[in-house]
Amino acid sequence: MTILDIARARLRAVIDPILTTRHDELPPPDDGTVVPLVAYFQWRGWTVVDRDSFTTAVLSYPGSFQGALDTEDRRQAALDDNLQKLEVELVVRGSHWIAHFSSCGVLIGCDRHRSIPLVVGVHALPFAAVLGDLERQARRRRPQDIAHCLLFGACSSQDTPGQLCLIPRVAPDEPAMLHVLPDHGEGRSR
């Protein structure tokens, strides 16, 4: 794959959703390798994370969390530890290509924001529709909502990660009591 092919794939990923209303093109026919599937995902705007053979590949969707994780001005990469971009692992099982998806969300958190695994046959009829829905959901996932829930909501609770995301009411702070210490002249020169 040349730089021109990569640039063309990224340009199509930006322009196609604007010009078309559907992204339901079927994946290419099986040629026994993962190469045409990787090209198909790259055409849709995905990036290759790992590809160690002709029968497996892991790809990531950079539009996850509205693209917030892929900006150059990120300061706290360590905060990403609990976040999961939309990813897919493509593997061949017998004579069928299988896509193991991890949806966009948090690894440990509430039902509303949790990343969910999903397995779909690549050449099954609903594949293109499922892929389009996963991409759409990943693009719409608001980083502000996730951050708020991770800090103040159910995603922050390690004990009950399955509860609904209910944000507690913020109580006004009590006035602070100031304690004035008498000045005994210590540390002063006379």
Side-chain angles (χ1 to χ4, degrees), residues 1 16-17 38 42-43 47 62 81 101 105 108 138 143 164 179 181 188:
M1 190 137 247
D16 281 351
V38 168
Q42 287 180 319
W43 171 77
T47 57
D81 286 346
F101 288 102
I108 299 173
L164 294 176
H179 297 283
L181 297 175
R188 287 209 229 148

Side-chain angles (χ1 to χ4, degrees), residues 65-132:
F65 301 108
Q66 299 178 347
L69 299 183
D70 289 332
T71 59
E72 292 181 17
D73 62 346
R74 299 219 4 120
R75 294 183 184 95
Q76 299 293 329
L79 295 176
D80 299 347
D81 286 346
N82 194 29
L83 298 179
Q84 172 68 50
K85 286 186 188 180
L86 175 58
E87 285 190 351
V88 65
E89 179 182 11
L90 301 168
V91 295
V92 65
R93 297 279 190 255
S95 61
H96 302 287
W97 283 98
I98 306 296
H100 294 267
F101 288 102
S102 295
S103 68
C104 180
V106 294
L107 296 175
I108 299 173
C110 68
D111 291 339
R112 186 177 188 188
H113 297 118
R114 187 179 304 127
S115 173
I116 299 170
L118 178 68
V119 179
V120 180
V122 172
H123 293 98
L125 287 178
F127 178 78
V130 168
L131 179 58

Side-chain angles (χ1 to χ4, degrees), residues 100-182:
H100 294 267
F101 288 102
S102 295
S103 68
C104 180
V106 294
L107 296 175
I108 299 173
C110 68
D111 291 339
R112 186 177 188 188
H113 297 118
R114 187 179 304 127
S115 173
I116 299 170
L118 178 68
V119 179
V120 180
V122 172
H123 293 98
L125 287 178
F127 178 78
V130 168
L131 179 58
D133 286 343
L134 287 170
E135 289 172 342
R136 197 170 19 267
Q137 289 172 9
R139 285 190 304 271
R140 290 181 179 165
R141 187 67 85 176
R142 291 176 33 117
Q144 300 87 339
D145 295 342
I146 299 278
H148 197 268
C149 192
L150 281 169
L151 292 174
F152 305 111
C155 285
S156 67
S157 174
Q158 297 290 336
D159 297 331
T160 57
Q163 75 184 39
L164 294 176
C165 181
L166 300 174
I167 308 301
R169 297 180 126 224
V170 178
D173 292 336
E174 293 182 17
M177 299 293 289
L178 296 178
H179 297 283
V180 179
L181 297 175

